[in-house]
Amino acid sequence: MVPDIPLNDGTTIPQLGFGTLNVPPERAPSEQNTAATAEIVGLALAGGYCHIDTAQMYGNEAGVGRAVAASGIPRDELYVTSKLGNGNHRPDDVRHSFAQTLDKLGLAELDLFLIHWPLPTLYDGDYVATWRAMTELVKDGRLRTQGVSNFQPDHLDRITSETGVVPAVNQIEVHPYFRNDAARAASAAHGIAVEAWSPLGQGAVLDDPVVGRIAAERQKTPAQVVLRWHIQHGHIVIPKSTRRERMEENISVFDFELSAEEMTAINALDKGADGRIGPNPDTFAWIP
Ligand code: A2P
């Protein structure tokens, strides 16, 4: 049902996955949170999601691993992404924390690992050494695909020119209120697939009258219209919901197509920098 799209390293990725930020609401890796995560991710897996997006900093990798193990889905039919925590940028910490990630997820090999934030104001601005350490994980055979998240055009230029290794994916904030054109265009210019986080603008764009009008005309929900807009832009999307009916709604976006006029109308909702919800990657410097 969910199409695979090709990446620049010869692999493919399911275009739609299940995001797990704030599943559950606390990041502490307690047994309670692990159980809650396992239950919600289990619902997603049972509902047809075969691509799960987690991160070291979400504190829920063990819960994702528990759901994956319980699902009985064959490993080669699952796609799992995690992301390097902001406290783990030193090359040794990349290696150690990646091993812990595999352990928590219960996997021998991870499909996709991303540098979560570039942190250009920390670690002497040396995200290149971090990127090189990720390359070693691929050479070791424990990681299939390496990518980045929240990388701005200059960050992409720098890692590719200094290492010769182009990320396969750049996971960035994108939704109709924040098209993030500069980062999307720079990613495309390098042949890097754009993955949209907070594809629904954390719910904000769902009340937009233009989205609402198109949804009513199409007999779809606002969330389906927005996710379809992403799909037609070629973005990988990872909507998150803790509710089973919304999970089902969000994955059911491959049976209709928005017209060029509808795409243009949604494109026009962009608010530029004012539409950004999350932190600015040039200045974000939070270490948990
Ligand atoms: P909930 O988990 O209660 O369903 P994003 O993926 O852009 O970060 O957005 C996630 C937010 O959007 C969550 O608050 C989630 O709430 C809500 N959400 C997810 N899917 C839908 C949907 N189909 N309709 C309405 N709200 C949704």
Side-chain angles (χ1 to χ4, degrees), residues 17-28 33 37 40-41 52-61 64 81-83 116-117 149-150 171 173 196-199 201-202 238-243 277-279 284 286:
F18 185 69
T20 67
L21 173 65
N22 296 337
V23 175
E26 282 178 27
R27 292 179 185 227
N33 287 344
T37 302
I40 291 168
V41 174
I52 308 292
D53 181 277
T54 181
Q56 292 177 347
M57 291 195 293
Y58 297 172
N60 63 14
E61 288 173 313
V64 171
T81 301
S82 191
K83 314 184 195 81
H116 205 149
W117 292 89
S149 184
N150 301 301
Q171 186 183 116
E173 180 180 345
W197 62 255
S198 282
Q202 294 176 13
I238 45 167
K240 167 251 159 185
S241 178
T242 52
R243 305 195 207 176
I277 294 172
F284 190 56
W286 178 71

Side-chain angles (χ1 to χ4, degrees), residues 21 175 197-203 206 221 223-224 227 238-243 245-247 249-250:
L21 173 65
H175 46 77
W197 62 255
S198 282
L200 305 174
Q202 294 176 13
L206 301 180
T221 67
Q224 288 173 321
L227 291 169
I238 45 167
K240 167 251 159 185
S241 178
T242 52
R243 305 195 207 176
E245 66 279 7
R246 288 181 175 173
M247 293 177 192
E249 180 183 321
N250 294 347

Side-chain angles (χ1 to χ4, degrees), residues 60-118:
N60 63 14
E61 288 173 313
V64 171
R66 191 178 292 182
V68 163
S71 75
I73 299 174
R75 179 65 186 92
D76 63 359
E77 292 174 21
L78 270 179
Y79 194 97
V80 183
T81 301
S82 191
K83 314 184 195 81
L84 181 76
N86 288 353
N88 296 329
H89 273 221
R90 290 191 186 81
D92 269 352
D93 295 332
V94 173
R95 290 183 273 274
H96 294 144
S97 71
F98 181 74
Q100 287 171 348
T101 282
L102 286 183
D103 196 45
K104 287 179 185 160
L105 289 170
L107 300 176
E109 188 193 23
L110 188 66
D111 298 291
L112 177 63
F113 196 46
L114 311 175
I115 299 182
H116 205 149
W117 292 89

Side-chain angles (χ1 to χ4, degrees), residues 6-286:
L7 298 177
N8 65 16
D9 65 350
T11 64
T12 61
I13 184 171
Q15 192 175 3
L16 187 145
F18 185 69
T20 67
L21 173 65
N22 296 337
V23 175
E26 282 178 27
R27 292 179 185 227
S30 63
E31 169 53 31
Q32 199 186 357
N33 287 344
T34 296
T37 302
E39 189 185 334
I40 291 168
V41 174
L43 284 177
L45 292 169
Y49 287 80
C50 61
H51 166 182
I52 308 292
D53 181 277
T54 181
Q56 292 177 347
M57 291 195 293
Y58 297 172
N60 63 14
E61 288 173 313
V64 171
R66 191 178 292 182
V68 163
S71 75
I73 299 174
R75 179 65 186 92
D76 63 359
E77 292 174 21
L78 270 179
Y79 194 97
V80 183
T81 301
S82 191
K83 314 184 195 81
L84 181 76
N86 288 353
N88 296 329
H89 273 221
R90 290 191 186 81
D92 269 352
D93 295 332
V94 173
R95 290 183 273 274
H96 294 144
S97 71
F98 181 74
Q100 287 171 348
T101 282
L102 286 183
D103 196 45
K104 287 179 185 160
L105 289 170
L107 300 176
E109 188 193 23
L110 188 66
D111 298 291
L112 177 63
F113 196 46
L114 311 175
I115 299 182
H116 205 149
W117 292 89
L119 308 178
T121 63
L122 299 179
Y123 300 101
D124 298 323
D126 190 8
Y127 46 81
V128 179
T130 312
W131 182 240
R132 277 209 183 87
M134 304 263 291
T135 306
E136 294 304 316
L137 304 177
V138 175
K139 283 191 190 138
D140 286 352
R142 290 177 301 158
L143 173 62
R144 276 176 72 214
T145 297
Q146 65 187 105
V148 294
S149 184
N150 301 301
F151 270 47
Q152 302 283 60
D154 57 319
H155 307 141
L156 295 175
D157 289 344
R158 191 166 155 214
I159 55 170
T160 51
S161 69
E162 291 191 30
T163 70
V165 181
V166 182
V169 168
N170 189 15
Q171 186 183 116
I172 52 180
E173 180 180 345
V174 186
H175 46 77
Y177 286 164
F178 185 58
R179 278 195 338 228
N180 207 346
D181 282 348
R184 286 194 312 137
S187 300
H190 284 285
I192 301 168
V194 169
E195 180 165 22
W197 62 255
S198 282
L200 305 174
Q202 294 176 13
V205 300
L206 301 180
D207 294 329
D208 188 276
V210 171
V211 172
R213 172 183 57 77
I214 295 171
E217 286 167 6
R218 291 260 169 202
Q219 296 190 304
K220 296 289 175 187
T221 67
Q224 288 173 321
V225 167
V226 172
L227 291 169
R228 185 68 209 177
W229 172 83
H230 283 284
I231 296 292
Q232 288 181 216
H233 272 296
H235 306 156
I236 302 155
V237 276
I238 45 167
K240 167 251 159 185
S241 178
T242 52
R243 305 195 207 176
R244 192 203 311 248
E245 66 279 7
R246 288 181 175 173
M247 293 177 192
E248 190 181 331
E249 180 183 321
N250 294 347
I251 202 175
S252 304
V253 293
F254 297 98
D255 60 351
F256 72 109
E257 195 161 356
L258 298 173
S259 67
E261 291 77 21
E262 289 168 328
M263 289 294 287
T264 303
I266 301 172
N267 289 343
L269 300 177
D270 182 38
K271 300 178 179 187
D274 289 344
R276 192 194 282 282
I277 294 172
N280 186 325
D282 281 319
T283 50
F284 190 56
W286 178 71

